[in-house]
Each structure stands twice: as structure tokens, then as C-alpha cells.
């Protein structure tokens, strides 16, 4: 069943990408495939006509030869450009489909699991083989057409000669074994390949260049890359050598068998049991049969590669379907009236047995500003991801006004959110776009963008750019401007302000690169925006910060420890309680004093 699904995926993708081009190319490929063996038959008729002095047979032979030349000229002249265009469209279709499928997965689990990451890397790495799927499909069709023609001509001399192409099946078998072994070698070496790519990216990244040079890590990095590449290449070269030995042995055996067949036909001709044309036909078909079996062998390899690539693509589509949260069809709320409740929430990252969150119970009232504090690894960022519904809880529920968040359509819920993160993305667009994409529907609104810049305290950044909001960011571009870490962060904060009335504003240490004064000023901006959102939509602001002086303005402070909620209350309540929060606050206050 899965094999048929993969084959149908291959066929449908090829013809969906360029239906007209594929139909014409199929006809031309068939014409090209029968040309050579048909012309060989024409030569045999010409030889028989000359030997028997029959004008009609001579004319027939010449007509077949000339007709074959005309068809070949036409098929080659039109076929290759059409085929190349079909292949380009196929490649474009494949890459567009891959992007659509991967970006359509609503959660982040596929980024966290090594086994899934390996498969995704293989899909990405081998995507170009799906891109040539149209060419391989036409190639396979041409080979089948050529094979049928050659078998018909050999059978016309003597049925026993039909065994020769069948002996070529051994070469097809060897090609299959070789391609399977090489494919296995590629799959086994994918962890090394992914690591090499990461290390090479690290070596090229300006952000890591300083530490690499200060600590003299260049040689260490190169040695590690070389060792990993050696492991990878050794495995693949060994598979290639094995395939070469098997294929060479099979080709030698096939050549000996064909030589014996030619001798046998010559002997028959000398005894009057075959014509001179038959001898010429078998002699000229010998290289064609070798090319035919070689073509089939190559097709087996490439068909196998394309089928395996479409098999991985089919797996990705099925994975996306199974992880699409299709049952989440409830509409996202327009406002929050009571609040968000976490009930017995537990969470473990995919592929891990250790729980990041355990038995977490918390009620966040509508319209409140909540601060999450605690040591690194306490589970604060994970909780933020669950609230954004990047994951669903492993156990328990998150309820929004009593509705299970797992039943809400994820994109609809996220359209009601805004966020600022410590690990923000440096989008190398124009400054206007970097801010505007915080609300794609209003990205072209000049007033909205400038308001977000002011609220994100990024006016000084825009003022320092050569073309203001229209400046291209990133040194990779001509006239591109590189920003400091703090400047990038201010633009990321402005981006978070593009959505004016989010139901949930998530701030996961978004000011880590800023000084305490700038951070405090920004949090006052957030607090002001939160109060407006709270009054109009019951919006909730969730803030993660290690600077406890900045969380005092929060309505509710949640102290997390080892994936659990340890304390909940206002700043004054928690100081009075004298627990973990009071201890952490005193440590930081003492450091400032």
C-alpha cells in the first residue's frame, strides 16, 4: 500500500508540476527510444536486400534508416529543452511542497528529536533527487520502450536470443544491491554530516569568530571536521567499491554470454539457417543490448534513489499529517474573561524521559501581568512555549476561560499573541520589514511601524541608519548595515509591539542585551501596554526575567524550581514570606549595593 502511495506521489508530482510538457516529453522519449533499434532493423533489411538483389527490401531498409534519422532529429531538437524545462518545474514544485509541508507543522517537536532531525536532513539533502524525478520518470519510460523494441527484434531472429537480455537482469540485480548499500551508507553517515554542517557554519559565523580565535580553537574545529568527514567518506567509499566489484563481475559474465551468442548466429548463417541481415542485426544489437541493460541498471539506481527520496517525502507528509493537530478546530477567543489555568501540567521534550515540568498548577487571572522567576533550568521558557502552544502538555491541561487550549486551532491562537525572546531572530530585511513582520497584516502601515519603534525604544536605532526604516540590514548585502546585539534586540522588541492588543504577551528575557536602566524603561512601556490590553481584551502579560528588580511591577510573581511552582504572590507578599524569592531578591540587592 505504501509503495503504491509513493509511486502515485512521484507520478502526480511530476505531472502536476508541468502536465503539458510531461505529456509531450513522454511521446518524444518513446520516439527517441525506438529509433536506434529500428534503424538497426533497417540496416539488416538493407543488407538482406543487397544480398538477394531485391529492390523493394533495399528501399524498405533505406526508408526505415532515413525515417529513424528524421524522428531522432525531431525528438532530440524538441525533447531535451522540453525535458529540461519540465525538470526545472518539477524541482520548483518539490521545494515548494517541502517548504509548505514543513512550515505547516504547527509544533516544534520535529526540531527536538534526533531521529526526526536525521530524516528531515535526508529529505533536505536528497530533495534535488526528487527534483530530477520528472527526468528519471521519462528515462525509465524510454528504457522500457527501448527494451520492448530490442526484445522484439531479437525474437525475430530466434527465440533463444531472448535469454540474452534476461541475463542482463543480473546486472540490474547488482545495481539494486549496490544502490541499496550506498543508500544505507548515506543514511548511516547522516549524524556526522549534520554535525559537520554545524561546525562549518560555526567556523564561518562572525559571532563565533572572536571566541574561536581567542581560545585558539581553529585547529581543533578543523581536526574535528576532518575526522567526521573521514568517517563519513570511508563508509560511503567502501559501499561504492563493493558495488563496483559486483557490477564489474556481472558485466564480464554477460559479455562472455553475448560473445557466444554472436558465434552461434554466425554458425547458423553459414548453415543457411539465418540470413546475413540476421547476423548484422545481432551484431549491431549487441552494444544496444549492453546499453539497454546498463540503462536499466542505471534506472534501477536512479529510480531507487528517487523512490527512496519520495519515500522520505511521503514519511514527512505522513508525519506532518499525524502532527498537524487536525482535531484542534475550536476558534480562538476574542478576549479573555476569567483567565488561564494550568491544571496538573507535566511536560517532557520528545525523545526524553526526564520531565521538565511536573504537576504544575497555576491560575493566571484575566488582565494580569505575571512574572516567572527562578534559576536556569527551572522550566520558565518551557512554560512560555506551552502557553504559545508550540507543544501540548505531556500530562494535564491548559485552559483558557475553561476551554482546553489543545482544542483551539493553533494558528488562530498564535494570531492573538505577541512575543519577545532572548534568542530573537536577526531577520536581515529592511528595518521597516524587521519591525513590521510582528503583525504581517499591518506591516505596510507606516504609522503602526513607527508607533512600534517608539514603544520598543528603538528610535535611536532607526535614526542612526543611513536610510532610516528603508535601510537594508545585514553585512551580506550591498550597502547592508550591521547592528550591535543591543540594537538588534531593540528592533526585536519593537516587533513585539506591532500587535497592539494581544490576548497574551510573552516576554522571555527580551532585554538581556540591554542595560538595567533601558530594561526598566521598556518594562514600563510593557506595563502600560498591558494595562490597556487588560482593560479592553483581558489580555495577559507573561514576563520571564532574572533581574528581580524589574518584576516588582507584576501583579503576580511565580517562583519556579525544578519544573514546579514553588511560590506565588506579589513582590511584597513573597518578601514577607521569606522563601526562595526573598532569598534571590536579597542576593541581587546585595550585589547592587
Amino acid at each position: 500500500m505504501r509503495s503504491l502511495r509513493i509511486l502515485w506521489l512521484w507520478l502526480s508530482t511530476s505531472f502536476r508540476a508541468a502536465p503539458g510538457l510531461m505529456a509531450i516529453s513522454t511521446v518524444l522519449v518513446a520516439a527517441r527510444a525506438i529509433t536506434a533499434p529500428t534503424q538497426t532493423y533497417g540496416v539488416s533489411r538493407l543488407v538482406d536486400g543487397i544480398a538477394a538483389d531485391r529492390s523493394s527490401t533495399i528501399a524498405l531498409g533505406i526508408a526505415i534508416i532515413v525515417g529513424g534519422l528524421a524522428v531522432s532529429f525531431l525528438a532530440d531538437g524538441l525533447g531535451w529543452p522540453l525535458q529540461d524545462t519540465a525538470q526545472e518545474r518539477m524541482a520548483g514544485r518539490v521545494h515548494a511542497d517541502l517548504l509548505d509541508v514543513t512550515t505547516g507543522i504547527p509544533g516544534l517537536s520535529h526540531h527536538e528529536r534526533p531521529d526526526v532531525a536525521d530524516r528531515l536532513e535526508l529529505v533536505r539533502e536528497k530533495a534535488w533527487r526528487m527534483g530530477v524525478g520528472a527526468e528519471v520518470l521519462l528515462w525509465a519510460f524510454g528504457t522500457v520502450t527501448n527494451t520492448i523494441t530490442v526484445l522484439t527484434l531479437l525474437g525475430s531472429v530466434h527465440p533463444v536470443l531472448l535469454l540474452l537480455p534476461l541475463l542482463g537482469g543480473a546486472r540490474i540485480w547488482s545495481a539494486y544491491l549496490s544502490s541499496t548499500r550506498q543508500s544505507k551508507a548515506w543514511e548511516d553517515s547522516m549524524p556526522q554530516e549534520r554535525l559537520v554542517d554545524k561546525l562549518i557554519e560555526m567556523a564561518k559565523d562572525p559571532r563565533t569568530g572572536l571566541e574561536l580565535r581567542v581560545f585558539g580553537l581553529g585547529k581543533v574545529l578543523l581536526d574535528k571536521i576532518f575526522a567526521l568527514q573521514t568517517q563519513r567518506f570511508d563508509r560511503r567509499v567502501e559501499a561504492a567499491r563493493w558495488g563496483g566489484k559486483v557490477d564489474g563481475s556481472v558485466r564480464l559474465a554477460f559479455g562472455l554470454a553475448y560473445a557466444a551468442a554472436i558465434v552461434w548466429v554466425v554458425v547458423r548463417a553459414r548453415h543457411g539457417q539465418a540470413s546475413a541481415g540476421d547476423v548484422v542485426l545481432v551484431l549491431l544489437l549487441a552494444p544496444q543490448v549492453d546499453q539497454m541493460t546498463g540503462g536499466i541498471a542505471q534506472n534501477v539506481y536512479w529510480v531507487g534513489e528517487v523512490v527512496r527520496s519520495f519515500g522520505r517525502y511521503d514519511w514527512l507528509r505522513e508525519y506532518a499529517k499525524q502532527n498537524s493537530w487536525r482535531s484542534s478546530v475550536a476558534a480562538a477567543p476574542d478576549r479573555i474573561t476569567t483567565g488561564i489555568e494550568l491544571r496538573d501540567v507535566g511536560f517532557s521534550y520528545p525523545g526524553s524521559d526526564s520531565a521538565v515540568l511536573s504537576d504544575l498548577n497555576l491560575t493566571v487571572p484575566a488582565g494580569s501581568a505575571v512574572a516567572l522567576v527562578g534559576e536556569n533550568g527551572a522550566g520558565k521558557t518551557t512554560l512560555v512555549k506551552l502557553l504559545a502552544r508550540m507543544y501540548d502538555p505531556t500530562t494535564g491541561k491548559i485552559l483558557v476561560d475553561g476551554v482546553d487550549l489543545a482544542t483551539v486551532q493553533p494558528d488562530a491562537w498564535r494570531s492573538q499573541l505577541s512575543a519577545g525572546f532572548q534568542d530573537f531572530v536577526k531577520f536581515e530585511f529592511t528595518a521597516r520589514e524587521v519591525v513590521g513582520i510582528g503583525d504581517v497584516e499591518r506591516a505596510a502601515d507606516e504609522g503602526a511601524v513607527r508607533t512600534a519603534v517608539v514603544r520598543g525604544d528603538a528610535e535611536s536605532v532607526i535614526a542612526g541608519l543611513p536610510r532610516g526604516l528603508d535601510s537594508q540590514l545585514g553585512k551580506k548585502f550591498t550597502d547592508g548595515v550591521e547592528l550591535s546585539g543591543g540594537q538588534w534586540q531593540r528592533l526585536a522588541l519593537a516587533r513585539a509591539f506591532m500587535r497592539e492588543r494581544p490576548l497574551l504577551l510573552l516576554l522571555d528575557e527580551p532585554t538581556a542585551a540591554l542595560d538595567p536602566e533601558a530594561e526598566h524603561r521598556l518594562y514600563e512601556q510593557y506595563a502600560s501596554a498591558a494595562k490597556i490590553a487588560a482593560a479592553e481584551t483581558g489580555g495577559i502579560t507573561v514576563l520571564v526575567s532574572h533581574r528581580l528588580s524589574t518584576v516588582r511591577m507584576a501583579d503576580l510573581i511565580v517562583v519556579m524550581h525544578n519544573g514546579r511552582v514553588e511560590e506565588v504572590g506579589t513582590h511584597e507578599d513573597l518578601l514577607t514570606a521569606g522563601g526562595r524569592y526573598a532569598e534571590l531578591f536579597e542576593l541581587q540587592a546585595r550585589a547592587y549595593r
Side-chain angles (χ1 to χ4, degrees):
M1 181 64 180
R2 184 168 184 267
S3 299
L4 291 176
R5 192 173 67 232
I6 292 170
L7 180 59
W8 173 248
L9 181 61
W10 179 11
L11 289 170
S12 62
T13 304
S14 299
F15 279 88
R16 195 169 73 248
L21 289 176
M22 283 295 292
I24 297 171
S25 295
T26 301
V27 174
L28 293 175
V29 163
R32 191 189 301 128
I34 65 173
T35 296
T38 302
Q39 285 181 307
T40 301
Y41 176 72
V43 171
S44 73
R45 294 299 87 203
L46 179 60
V47 170
D48 278 344
I50 292 173
D53 194 20
R54 289 199 298 267
S55 300
S56 59
T57 306
I58 293 173
L60 175 62
I62 293 173
I64 292 174
I65 294 170
V66 173
L69 287 172
V71 170
S72 178
F73 178 79
L74 180 65
D76 287 343
L78 295 177
W80 296 119
L82 292 177
Q83 203 166 314
D84 287 344
T85 305
Q87 179 183 324
E88 288 177 8
R89 292 193 182 178
M90 173 74 163
R93 166 66 67 176
V94 164
H95 284 90
D97 286 353
L98 280 174
L99 187 62
D100 183 57
V101 171
T102 51
T103 56
I105 301 173
L108 296 179
S109 298
H110 55 292
H111 293 299
E112 308 285 353
R113 290 176 49 183
D115 58 329
V116 175
D118 280 345
R119 283 175 173 261
L120 285 174
E121 181 66 18
L122 267 175
V123 171
R124 184 193 65 80
E125 180 75 18
K126 303 289 187 178
W128 69 272
R129 300 199 173 183
M130 287 192 292
V132 300
E135 181 182 358
V136 174
L137 187 64
L138 292 171
W139 191 10
F141 176 72
T143 300
V144 170
T145 307
N146 178 264
T147 301
I148 293 172
T149 307
V150 169
L151 287 174
T152 302
L153 292 176
L154 283 174
S156 69
V157 176
H158 197 286
V160 174
L161 294 175
L162 293 176
L163 294 175
L164 289 173
L166 296 180
L167 289 175
R171 190 174 175 197
I172 300 170
W173 168 78
S174 70
Y176 171 76
L177 291 182
S178 178
S179 66
T180 301
R181 187 150 178 160
Q182 290 187 51
S183 178
K184 180 71 165 53
W186 273 86
E187 291 184 11
D188 290 345
S189 62
M190 281 314 301
Q192 289 94 340
E193 178 137 354
R194 284 199 298 127
L195 186 52
V196 165
D197 288 344
K198 293 292 184 185
L199 292 175
I200 291 175
E201 191 63 34
M202 186 186 300
K204 295 190 302 183
D205 196 332
R207 293 172 296 180
T208 60
L210 182 60
E211 287 200 47
L212 289 177
R213 285 159 179 79
V214 168
F215 296 114
L217 299 178
K219 189 175 184 307
V220 175
L221 206 61
L222 289 174
D223 287 346
K224 193 167 185 63
I225 290 172
F226 180 76
L228 288 166
Q229 286 181 327
T230 300
Q231 293 176 26
R232 184 181 60 173
F233 289 142
D234 284 349
R235 184 175 283 137
R236 295 176 182 179
V237 167
E238 181 186 352
R241 283 176 178 168
W242 183 88
K245 291 176 182 178
V246 172
D247 188 56
S249 300
V250 170
R251 288 196 72 178
L252 177 61
F254 176 73
L256 292 174
Y258 210 98
I262 292 173
V263 171
W264 178 70
V265 173
V266 170
V267 170
R268 282 176 55 81
R270 291 188 64 183
H271 288 83
Q273 296 172 326
S275 68
D278 291 338
V279 174
V280 170
L281 182 63
V282 174
L283 281 171
L284 293 179
L285 283 178
Q288 293 184 37
V289 171
D290 184 61
Q291 290 174 9
M292 179 192 74
T293 54
I296 295 175
Q298 277 190 313
N299 272 319
V300 165
Y301 173 77
W302 280 106
V303 168
E305 286 297 300
V306 172
V307 167
R308 275 187 285 272
S309 295
F310 271 98
R312 298 183 192 106
Y313 178 36
D314 176 70
W315 167 85
L316 177 60
R317 287 162 57 96
E318 289 299 307
Y319 177 88
K321 190 183 299 182
Q322 293 167 9
N323 292 272
S324 63
W325 295 343
R326 286 178 296 173
S327 60
S328 303
V329 294
D334 295 325
R335 60 180 294 114
I336 297 178
T337 54
T338 57
I340 297 176
E341 179 186 359
L342 287 85
R343 187 180 296 172
D344 299 324
V345 168
F347 181 74
S348 299
Y349 281 101
S352 173
D353 295 328
S354 59
V356 181
L357 301 176
S358 303
D359 300 323
L360 197 151
N361 290 280
L362 178 67
T363 299
V364 180
S368 62
V370 181
L372 303 180
V373 300
E375 302 95 332
N376 289 331
K380 305 184 295 298
T381 296
T382 299
L383 180 53
V384 167
K385 290 177 181 178
L386 292 181
L387 290 172
R389 211 190 163 195
M390 298 299 166
Y391 302 94
D392 283 334
T394 307
T395 59
K397 294 180 180 180
I398 298 176
L399 305 174
V400 180
D401 287 347
V403 177
D404 189 349
L405 185 58
T407 66
V408 177
Q409 208 282 326
D411 288 339
W413 171 246
R414 290 172 194 160
S415 70
Q416 301 281 23
L417 312 182
S418 190
F421 302 104
Q422 178 180 2
D423 297 326
F424 54 87
V425 179
K426 296 180 180 179
F427 293 104
E428 294 189 340
F429 305 150
T430 64
R432 182 188 308 278
E433 292 168 328
V434 168
V435 176
I437 57 176
D439 189 349
V440 176
E441 294 181 359
R442 299 169 63 232
D445 187 333
E446 177 85 12
V449 172
R450 292 196 176 278
T451 299
V453 168
V454 173
R455 295 173 69 192
D457 197 25
E459 291 171 290
S460 60
V461 179
I462 301 301
L465 296 175
R467 299 179 59 197
L469 285 171
D470 294 316
S471 300
Q472 172 66 53
L473 304 183
K475 278 294 187 183
K476 297 177 182 177
F477 299 92
T478 303
D479 298 328
V481 180
E482 186 54 69
L483 304 180
S484 68
Q487 289 174 318
W488 276 113
Q489 191 155 49
R490 286 178 189 272
L491 292 183
L493 289 166
R495 184 162 63 243
F497 272 119
M498 274 297 293
R499 286 181 177 167
E500 292 186 304
R501 302 290 182 268
L503 293 185
L504 184 61
L505 177 59
L506 301 170
L507 304 172
D508 189 356
E509 298 194 68
T511 57
L514 304 181
D515 57 76
E517 290 79 9
E519 181 186 58
H520 185 74
R521 187 166 60 252
L522 277 163
Y523 280 144
E524 286 182 337
Q525 291 268 30
Y526 278 125
S528 175
K531 288 178 181 178
I532 297 173
E536 295 186 4
T537 64
I540 293 171
T541 299
V542 177
L543 164 66
V544 178
S545 178
H546 280 97
R547 292 174 183 165
L548 301 188
S549 59
T550 63
V551 305
R552 300 173 63 170
M553 65 187 73
D555 302 314
L556 201 65
I557 297 173
V558 178
V559 183
M560 298 186 66
H561 181 65
N562 291 336
R564 299 173 186 270
V565 173
E566 191 166 286
E567 296 177 291
V568 178
T570 64
H571 173 73
E572 291 75 15
D573 291 340
L574 295 176
L575 285 183
T576 302
R580 185 177 298 275
Y581 178 83
E583 180 184 345
L584 292 173
F585 186 83
E586 178 58 31
L587 283 172
Q588 288 194 10
R590 193 181 305 148
Y592 280 111
R593 290 197 295 268

